[in-house]
Amino acid sequence: MKIDILSLFPEMFEGFVNTSIIKRAIDAHLVEVHIHDFREFSNNKHKKVDDYPYGGGQGMVLMCQPILDCLKSIVTSESLVILMSPQGRTLNQTYSQELSLEKHLIIICGHYEGFDERIRDYVDVELSIGDYVLTGGELASMVVCDSIIRLIEGSIKEESHEDDSFSSGLLEYPQYTRPFEYDGNTVPDVLMSGHHENIRKWRLKQSLLKTYRKRPDLLIKKELNEEEQKILQEIKEND
Ligand code: 4H6
């Protein structure tokens, strides 16, 4: 996969592309990430990228010319053009999985009060990471990239995202590591038993219990199999 990001603040991405799993995925050529400073595309002698809003009002608006000339220099028929915006469709795990199969993503990040509306004519998807406002689209774009890149085959151990909260439609079960006892709190016996079937059942029950208590909305959407329905019934009777 190739990801091109259009931003006025390319330095914000340095930590992101040079750290941990994302760095490893880039080094392994699973993904290419290119940051483009669209100010460099400004035709204006002062490299201006924004101007006052027609009709008056607060703040500045990003102009079409620098962003769209930058976009036109990289877009192909295989690109999916994404605009980060609080008005966009909200990202979730299912959509991250779909996006992780794309060949080429172009992500536009804006600042100031927003964009000239005509930029939207060149965008395939307007995307939001949640119902809150950020000073710019950069952090939002990194959230999107992080969630997509870890899903690219080879980026993390194959099975390790099948258990992720949300991929299964349930929250993740509790995990423990050494030591066996910390501040008088011990690890549940079943995890020390080596009995794989009992461990599987315990984890499934804990996932259902956590989801029931913290995110009951997820249970409404999810289709439960017979085993899950039975365990959930027990949970409801004992709660
Ligand atoms: C487009 C339009 C994404 C982008 C306006 C971006 C939140 C998200 C932005 C703006 C973003 C999200 C500029 C409006 C600053 C408010 C950049 N905020 N804003 N939820 N901000 O994904 O002023």
Side-chain angles (χ1 to χ4, degrees):
M1 174 187 281
K2 190 169 152 195
I3 305 177
D4 286 288
I5 299 174
L6 278 58
S7 164
L8 291 174
F9 301 96
E11 64 279 8
M12 284 183 74
F13 294 86
E14 272 164 35
F16 177 65
V17 297
N18 287 310
T19 308
S20 183
I21 291 169
I22 305 304
K23 178 181 171 50
R24 216 175 54 199
I26 294 169
D27 290 346
H29 306 289
L30 298 174
V31 63
E32 274 179 40
V33 181
H34 301 283
I35 317 293
H36 306 266
D37 181 354
F38 60 81
R39 188 181 296 281
E40 289 171 10
F41 286 77
S42 174
N43 286 336
N44 177 278
K45 63 171 182 272
H46 301 112
K47 297 275 169 233
K48 205 162 88 102
V49 291
D50 57 346
D51 210 331
Y52 298 100
Y54 276 120
Q58 281 292 306
M60 303 294 273
V61 175
L62 287 166
M63 306 187 292
C64 290
Q65 183 273 320
I67 292 186
L68 293 180
D69 280 355
C70 181
L71 176 63
K72 288 167 185 174
S73 77
I74 53 183
V75 74
T76 74
S77 58
E78 296 194 314
S79 313
L80 186 78
V81 181
I82 298 174
L83 177 69
M84 296 315 306
S85 142
Q87 296 179 19
R89 153 180 189 179
T90 314
L91 185 71
N92 60 25
Q93 191 66 21
T94 308
Y95 195 45
S96 289
Q97 268 152 2
E98 277 178 42
L99 290 173
S100 74
L101 305 174
E102 290 285 338
K103 266 207 172 118
H104 183 206
L105 301 179
I106 300 177
I107 309 182
I108 304 174
C109 306
H111 261 260
Y112 312 114
E113 299 312 305
F115 299 89
D116 187 307
E117 189 68 16
R118 290 166 291 189
I119 289 172
R120 291 198 162 87
D121 297 342
Y122 300 81
V123 166
D124 299 310
V125 188
E126 208 170 325
L127 189 58
S128 164
I129 59 164
D131 288 340
Y132 40 84
V133 174
L134 303 168
T135 58
E138 283 77 10
L139 288 170
S141 76
M142 287 186 254
V143 169
V144 173
C145 288
D146 189 287
S147 115
I148 292 171
I149 292 171
R150 67 186 289 284
L151 294 175
I152 297 173
E153 194 139 311
S155 171
I156 52 177
K157 263 208 230 88
E158 296 307 291
E159 319 82 52
S160 65
H161 47 70
E162 286 167 16
D163 281 350
D164 287 348
S165 292
F166 304 115
S167 344
S168 68
L170 297 175
L171 299 185
E172 209 180 335
Y173 51 76
Q175 304 255 42
Y176 297 86
T177 187
R178 285 191 284 190
F180 173 72
E181 187 191 319
Y182 183 83
D183 265 355
N185 289 326
T186 56
V187 175
D189 285 336
V190 62
L191 298 180
M192 311 301 289
S193 70
H195 193 303
H196 297 299
E197 177 57 12
N198 286 352
I199 292 171
R200 186 195 65 79
K201 279 194 203 135
W202 181 84
R203 285 178 166 164
L204 177 58
K205 179 168 183 180
Q206 295 299 313
S207 276
L208 285 161
L209 192 60
K210 264 192 196 266
T211 313
Y212 176 69
R213 288 189 178 149
K214 296 187 183 181
R215 292 292 307 276
D217 58 302
L218 296 176
L219 287 176
I220 296 165
K221 280 187 260 170
K222 183 172 164 64
E223 287 210 29
L224 298 177
N225 66 28
E226 220 174 293
E227 183 187 26
E228 291 164 343
Q229 284 181 34
K230 204 175 135 244
I231 299 171
L232 185 61
Q233 196 56 44
E234 282 169 25
I235 289 171
K236 286 179 177 171
E237 280 162 13
N238 296 320
D239 214 60

